[in-house]
Amino acid sequence: MRWANRFCLNGVIFCPHLQEKGRHHGGFPMSAFILSLSAASVNRRVGAYAPKRISDKVKSRLQILFGKDILEKNASAFSSGRFAEKLHFLRKEEYPMNSAFDTYFTGLKNKKIAVLGLGVSNRPLVRLLLEYGCNVVGCDRTPREKLDAEVLELEAMGCRLHVGDGYLDDVEADILFRTPGMHPNNPAIETLRSRGAEVTSEMEAFFEVCPCRIIAVTGSDGKTTTTTLIAKILEHAGHRVWVGGNIGAPLLPQAADMTPADIAVVELSSFQLMTMERSADIAVVTNVAPNHLDVHKDMAEYVQAKKNVFEYQNETGKVVLNYDNDITRGFAADAKGTVEFFSRLARPENGVYLEDGVICRNGKKIMAAADIRIPGVHNIENYMAAACAVEGLAEDEDIDEIARTFAGVEHRIEFVRELDGVKYYNDSIASSPSRTIAGLHSFRQKLVLIAGGYDKKIPFDALGPEICAHVRLLILCGATAEKIEAAVKSAPDYLNGQPEILHAQTLEEAVRLAKRHTVPGDIVTLSPACAAFDQFKNFMVRGETYKTLVRTL
């Protein structure tokens, strides 16, 4: 009965204060809140009680929300107790296809469109543009002989290709969709902009046409886990959730199926945020530390990109900030809406914090930190950030249930196997020193660490002392191997041979060295502190390669 009562108290059946104060609950129209519940959630929460609950009083209340005609069309759904089906019919009646989506793409039909970069996020965009009859040219540095079948399929559909060397030469366009990894001040983009071209991106277009509330997560570390936690908590609370951005499938093609009742949870990188002129309804900044300085012209540009996640909010917006990070704490002064902090080290006036092993919100217990299944103090911070973001949209019980059951995202301190008493972990997503430091702090013993990779021009000074404190054997490979070794050897606590340092030419050799130099009880982790681009397409490919190598030992 608890779930049924809780469901009712959220306004569907018995909610006196909502009847007195109007049709809104936490900023949502009441009908939108009802429709945000999935069929599975309705069945779980109401279950066998549904037929008994659909009284004349309830029908009267729903008639106010949805109109008499809609209810009469589906009167049999109430009488038979098919409550979930009824709600989903109402979803379709109340919220037809996203008209802003159709208007946006119809408006591009007579424009010259250039899509710069034909990677994963832009391919569905090209397909959409072609389906709407747009004149599209796709530009990518990949030579024609190396194009994959999907790109060639786009060409067959009518996309003209500019590829290989000089792929940006002689491009003419009214609108440019840039790939996130291409700096907006690229000379070719500047030239087109000077000729009057509008520069945008798949994510900027999504923010323009998205009909529902957006929760966006950015930061130097913890973005993927925090985004995933928010989505899972909201799903457990019964909302229909769309997850994307820097993770998952591109969201723009899915916007046509979204309704105002849904919630989009979006991970945003600094590259995506650089040119954004719209902000999320709820913005989360997990932390900010030096990163991607191989692309950004300086740290100031990187920080400003992160600020864009809340820069364009008004007084109705909310930003969630890490109180323990000097940069993000300073963002509060520029926020126009509500500010909520999360902190592992202090007790901020408004927000979520850790006290005596308990995660609390403004003096009230949410859950015990020990309930969190995934290891590491950084994951306590991720849960606190998520708790701030979902306030008013989910109950504390939803947060705690996900904490107890969620096993973590792939490539983030992911257990691979145990062989001969040695445990192997995959932390390939740790593409910065701060991420690797967080990973090292997740274990209670000294580790065998495999690190190194692509050089993003960020310092390793902070990593050196942490390796000395938490690593007994360091295996280095990739372009940054010598820089990391220098940081370790210059650390104040470094002693000759502590840690022992070995070098490998490839990840395969590094894994073999790890097996050769470990004993039962050891833990081996791939936590590179660098991007993967020197040897792999991305950190996912690096992680999959590592897991394959470990499983074949």
Side-chain angles (χ1 to χ4, degrees):
M1 183 70 88
R2 181 174 67 87
W3 283 109
N5 288 340
R6 176 178 161 197
F7 180 74
C8 299
L9 288 174
N10 275 337
V12 179
I13 296 168
F14 304 114
C15 197
H17 72 281
L18 288 174
Q19 291 176 9
E20 292 171 5
K21 296 183 180 179
R23 297 174 55 184
H24 287 75
H25 175 86
F28 279 122
M30 175 57 65
S31 55
F33 177 80
I34 296 171
L35 295 179
S36 70
L37 298 170
S38 66
S41 175
V42 171
N43 288 332
R44 185 179 76 243
R45 298 184 179 206
V46 181
Y49 303 102
K52 301 175 184 177
R53 295 291 183 183
I54 309 306
S55 62
D56 290 340
K57 181 178 179 181
V58 174
K59 291 177 185 177
S60 175
R61 178 61 181 153
L62 291 175
Q63 181 174 307
I64 293 172
L65 296 175
F66 299 108
K68 183 177 179 180
D69 292 343
I70 292 177
L71 295 190
E72 287 181 349
K73 286 180 185 179
N74 279 265
S76 61
F78 282 119
S79 61
S80 65
R82 290 185 290 108
F83 198 63
E85 289 88 341
K86 177 64 182 177
L87 290 186
H88 283 276
F89 175 82
L90 293 179
R91 180 196 292 275
K92 293 177 182 177
E93 289 285 330
E94 182 89 344
Y95 301 121
M97 179 181 174
N98 180 359
S99 59
F101 179 92
D102 191 60
T103 300
Y104 179 85
F105 281 96
T106 301
L108 299 179
K109 189 170 183 179
N110 296 318
K111 307 282 188 180
K112 294 179 181 178
I113 312 293
V115 178
L116 308 187
L118 295 175
V120 174
S121 64
N122 278 344
R123 293 179 187 186
L125 169 64
V126 173
R127 195 177 297 273
L128 261 176
L129 292 167
L130 293 172
E131 289 172 357
Y132 273 85
C134 297
N135 178 2
V136 185
V137 56
C139 308
D140 197 284
R141 68 170 69 251
T142 305
R144 173 170 284 275
E145 61 271 17
K146 293 186 178 180
L147 295 176
D148 60 40
E150 187 178 3
V151 175
L152 296 177
E153 181 184 344
L154 294 176
E155 183 179 38
M157 292 175 62
C159 176
R160 292 176 293 111
L161 297 182
H162 278 215
V163 296
D165 294 337
Y167 70 105
L168 295 178
D169 295 345
D170 303 320
V171 174
E172 295 183 4
D174 301 310
I175 298 176
L176 280 81
F177 286 87
R178 72 175 181 90
T179 189
M182 181 176 290
H183 199 285
N185 294 332
N186 178 291
I189 293 179
E190 291 282 25
T191 298
L192 287 163
R193 188 184 282 116
S194 69
R195 297 174 185 166
E198 175 188 343
V199 180
T200 186
S201 66
E202 182 262 342
M203 187 51 60
E204 289 171 85
F206 172 71
F207 267 61
E208 187 169 339
V209 304
C210 178
C212 64
R213 178 174 292 199
I214 299 175
I215 301 176
V217 181
T218 193
S220 300
D221 308 315
K223 294 188 298 295
T224 300
T225 298
T226 303
T227 301
T228 305
L229 291 177
I230 291 170
K232 287 188 174 294
I233 292 166
L234 292 174
E235 287 171 350
H236 191 270
H239 298 281
R240 188 164 78 148
V241 180
W242 305 80
V243 184
N246 203 40
I247 59 172
L251 286 171
L252 181 58
Q254 303 178 71
D257 297 321
M258 298 179 187
T259 75
D262 301 337
I263 303 176
V265 184
V266 187
E267 176 187 326
L268 295 178
S269 69
S270 59
F271 305 142
Q272 291 166 310
L273 284 164
M274 284 181 74
T275 53
M276 296 283 283
E277 294 183 349
R278 293 173 185 258
S279 292
D281 300 285
I282 300 173
V284 179
V285 188
T286 59
N287 48 60
V288 176
N291 206 348
H292 302 298
L293 299 183
D294 57 322
V295 176
H296 292 287
K297 64 182 181 183
D298 52 32
M299 185 65 180
E301 181 182 270
Y302 176 66
V303 171
Q304 182 56 51
K306 295 299 188 185
K307 286 182 66 174
N308 280 352
V309 75
F310 70 91
E311 182 87 0
Y312 301 98
Q313 288 181 341
N314 57 29
E315 65 277 2
T316 67
K318 181 170 89 170
V319 59
V320 176
L321 300 171
N322 185 342
Y323 189 85
D324 302 334
N325 182 274
D326 291 342
I327 295 174
T328 55
R329 187 171 63 251
F331 285 174
D334 298 316
K336 302 178 182 70
T338 301
V339 176
E340 286 192 24
F341 288 110
F342 65 94
S343 175
R344 188 169 52 85
L345 306 176
R347 184 171 178 170
E349 184 176 338
N350 184 37
V352 175
Y353 53 89
L354 182 67
E355 188 171 76
D356 298 327
V358 176
I359 296 176
C360 304
R361 177 190 288 111
N362 299 328
K364 179 186 174 185
K365 175 183 176 180
I366 298 176
M367 66 179 188
D371 288 349
I372 298 174
R373 180 177 174 181
I374 49 180
V377 294
H378 61 288
N379 280 316
I380 296 176
E381 295 174 353
N382 293 336
Y383 268 97
M384 290 192 293
C388 288
V390 303
E391 184 179 7
L393 302 172
E395 303 291 341
D396 292 345
E397 292 90 340
D398 298 310
I399 301 171
D400 195 33
E401 179 62 23
I402 298 304
R404 292 175 183 274
T405 58
F406 178 57
V409 298
E410 189 177 16
H411 307 299
R412 186 55 169 140
I413 317 181
E414 176 191 9
F415 178 69
V416 181
R417 74 178 294 198
E418 182 172 343
L419 176 66
D420 299 331
V422 178
K423 294 179 179 179
Y424 292 81
Y425 286 84
N426 166 34
D427 197 20
S428 181
I429 201 172
S431 57
S432 68
S434 53
R435 286 190 180 188
T436 294
I437 291 169
L440 296 179
H441 283 238
S442 299
F443 299 95
R444 297 181 178 180
Q445 67 182 71
K446 288 200 170 187
L447 309 172
V448 175
L449 172 65
I450 301 174
Y454 173 78
D455 191 353
K456 295 193 288 184
K457 312 300 182 186
I458 56 180
F460 295 103
D461 298 351
L463 181 61
E466 296 289 345
I467 288 177
C468 290
H470 298 281
V471 175
R472 76 160 189 83
L473 172 62
L474 175 63
I475 303 173
L476 293 169
C477 60
T480 57
E482 292 183 1
K483 287 187 175 182
I484 296 174
E485 181 176 16
V488 171
K489 290 184 174 180
S490 63
D493 295 332
Y494 174 74
L495 298 174
N496 189 32
Q498 297 181 25
E500 181 182 359
I501 301 175
L502 301 176
H503 285 261
Q505 294 300 310
T506 64
L507 184 57
E508 181 179 7
E509 183 185 356
V511 171
R512 289 201 306 267
L513 284 171
K515 184 177 186 301
R516 191 180 309 150
H517 289 81
T518 50
V519 297
D522 272 340
I523 293 175
V524 178
T525 181
L526 168 70
S527 190
C530 304
F533 306 131
D534 59 332
Q535 296 185 36
F536 302 95
K537 183 178 180 181
N538 52 46
F539 76 83
M540 291 90 77
V541 175
R542 177 173 62 191
E544 291 296 338
T545 303
Y546 172 75
K547 289 191 289 184
T548 299
L549 291 168
V550 169
R551 287 166 180 157
T552 54
L553 284 174

